[in-house]
Amino acid sequence: MNIQWYPGHMAKARRMLAESVKLVDVIIEMVDARAPASTRNPDFDDLFRTRPRVVVLNKADLADPAATRAWLAFYRRQGLDAISFSAGAGKGVKEAVSLVERAARPVVQRMKEKGVNKTVRAMIVGIPNVGKSTFINRLRGSAAAKAGNRPGVTRGKQWIVVDTYLEFLDTPGMLWPKLEDQAAAERLAFLGSIRGEIMDNERLSMRLLETLRDEAPDGAKARLKIEMEKEKSGEELLLEACRRRGWILSGARPDTERGAALILDEFRAGRMGRITLERAPTEKEDGNGDQAGD
Ligand SMILES: Nc1nc2c(ncn2[C@@H]2O[C@H](COP(=O)(O)OP(=O)(O)OP(=O)(O)O)[C@@H](O)[C@H]2O)c(=O)[nH]1
Ligand SMILES: [Mg+2]
């Protein structure tokens, strides 16, 4: 399927981020642990070159733990400090704070030598709905940043005091204007990071079912009460799920519209299991491994 969206406000968001870099000491790049490659904005490498950057793989509670470990190892091989986090559950707050402090240490040290106790300012960036505001609220221990389960909740940037010497700049989620990789766009849509109104839920759910059929059939099979055989198309899987789950209209017609919406909801909420849609490159593939044994 061809996913299109309107990048007008994204260009504005990019300008705002470029301006805000000057105000902060550290950049926290938040990605979705279920698709750490597609949810990472390729523009950011260039945009944030001048600041220390750390990566938070959020929604780790919804991702496959082994895949998350492989992604963390991958980032660390790239020289990026990275942690996994579940902002929803709020575990690992201490580790997250020390991640930010570690990144800010050089600037804090420089200021200390001048006799100044520096307040560390961190900006959090990432695609819509990845959990940026929830993360800040967790670190702060109370809800100061508005959060919600749809993309586009945070509208403008907002400073939030997390601690005496730590302030966070919350920013609106940002997608890249030209997401040419349609497979990546599709994974963003599966995760709910692209607004629902610009795509067809029924087709999206069929593509999701095909992906699950090939990559992680067990959870969907149990949840939807259907066999995820290779020879079944996405349409057949959707129709079967409607019948088995009782999403039926008058005249025994499958209610594919409702079924599609519910399947997407259930997948996004993790009810089909902890599924990671992208595999981390191995040491061999990213060229940072020990080549001696080859
Ligand atoms: N399961 C799970 N849900 C999470 C986690 N973190 C955030 N959420 C949920 O994800 C949704 C989006 O969270 P927000 O914090 O509003 O996301 P955001 O990145 O600030 O989104 P925008 O402001 O739209 O860019 C909310 O429903 C959160 O409760 C997590 O670690 N696990
Ligand atoms: Mg937000």
Side-chain angles (χ1 to χ4, degrees):
M1 64 189 295
N2 194 24
I3 297 166
Q4 309 262 0
W5 65 84
Y6 311 101
H9 67 286
M10 290 298 163
K12 200 172 133 217
R14 192 183 194 284
R15 276 198 301 280
M16 183 278 287
L17 292 183
E19 274 301 305
S20 306
V21 177
K22 298 170 195 158
L23 309 174
V24 301
D25 309 300
V26 181
I27 309 279
I28 295 160
E29 226 189 285
M30 182 165 272
V31 299
D32 191 311
R34 294 167 295 174
S38 303
T39 59
R40 188 140 186 253
N41 193 324
D43 266 4
F44 286 175
D45 279 335
D46 185 45
L47 204 56
F48 302 130
R49 210 172 15 167
T50 57
R51 291 292 181 276
R53 258 192 306 162
V54 297
V55 179
V56 174
L57 281 95
N58 192 40
K59 304 202 181 184
D61 56 314
L62 301 175
D64 173 3
T68 300
R69 282 194 296 277
W71 276 106
L72 288 173
F74 167 76
Y75 286 126
R76 288 169 187 159
R77 287 198 302 276
Q78 313 292 306
L80 276 165
D81 208 354
I83 57 163
S84 62
F85 199 80
S86 301
K91 273 196 212 136
V93 168
K94 266 199 196 131
E95 205 191 346
V97 170
S98 67
L99 177 84
V100 178
E101 284 173 353
R102 232 170 15 242
R105 197 167 291 149
V107 45
V108 170
Q109 200 56 38
R110 266 201 310 280
M111 297 300 276
K112 215 174 205 151
E113 280 155 20
K114 293 181 190 165
V116 180
N117 270 337
K118 169 137 184 55
T119 294
V120 172
R121 298 204 167 80
M123 171 159 76
I124 187 158
V125 296
I127 60 159
N129 202 38
V130 69
K132 298 177 293 301
S133 301
T134 307
F135 177 80
I136 296 178
N137 289 339
R138 281 295 171 198
L139 262 53
R140 195 185 128 95
S142 69
K146 193 173 166 209
N149 197 9
R150 59 185 185 283
V153 171
T154 305
R155 293 286 177 185
K157 57 181 184 181
Q158 187 193 358
W159 280 106
I160 290 152
V161 176
V162 165
D163 214 331
T164 325
Y165 290 109
L166 185 58
E167 292 180 8
F168 266 74
L169 186 58
D170 191 13
T171 66
M174 187 182 140
L175 288 167
W176 34 117
K178 272 192 244 148
L179 201 75
E180 271 131 7
D181 179 349
Q182 277 292 312
E186 196 173 75
R187 288 193 282 271
L188 288 174
F190 290 161
L191 298 178
S193 295
I194 298 175
R195 275 172 185 279
E197 56 262 37
I198 61 167
M199 63 209 162
D200 172 350
N201 261 351
E202 282 171 70
R203 281 174 60 207
L204 186 67
S205 74
M206 289 177 205
R207 283 293 302 134
L208 174 65
L209 289 170
E210 285 167 3
T211 306
L212 295 175
R213 175 197 66 198
D214 298 340
E215 308 285 338
D218 297 348
K221 178 180 165 183
R223 187 76 199 171
L224 301 172
K225 306 184 174 75
I226 57 176
E227 291 302 323
M228 301 289 283
E229 288 133 342
K230 293 278 179 212
E231 57 275 10
K232 284 183 191 161
S233 68
E235 186 175 7
E236 284 167 325
L237 292 169
L238 175 60
L239 289 170
E240 209 175 307
C242 287
R243 283 193 291 269
R244 297 301 300 258
R245 289 284 299 271
W247 300 320
I248 301 292
L249 294 165
S250 63
R253 277 176 304 130
D255 189 349
T256 49
E257 203 179 314
R258 176 151 172 262
L262 290 170
I263 286 168
L264 289 166
D265 279 353
E266 293 190 359
F267 171 75
R268 288 168 186 162
R271 303 227 175 82
M272 296 185 189
R274 296 177 70 174
I275 296 168
T276 300
L277 298 169
E278 292 167 344
R279 189 180 61 78
T282 61
E283 274 185 61
K284 244 185 182 163
E285 284 162 351
D286 66 27
N288 288 322
D290 176 11
Q291 319 268 291
D294 293 352

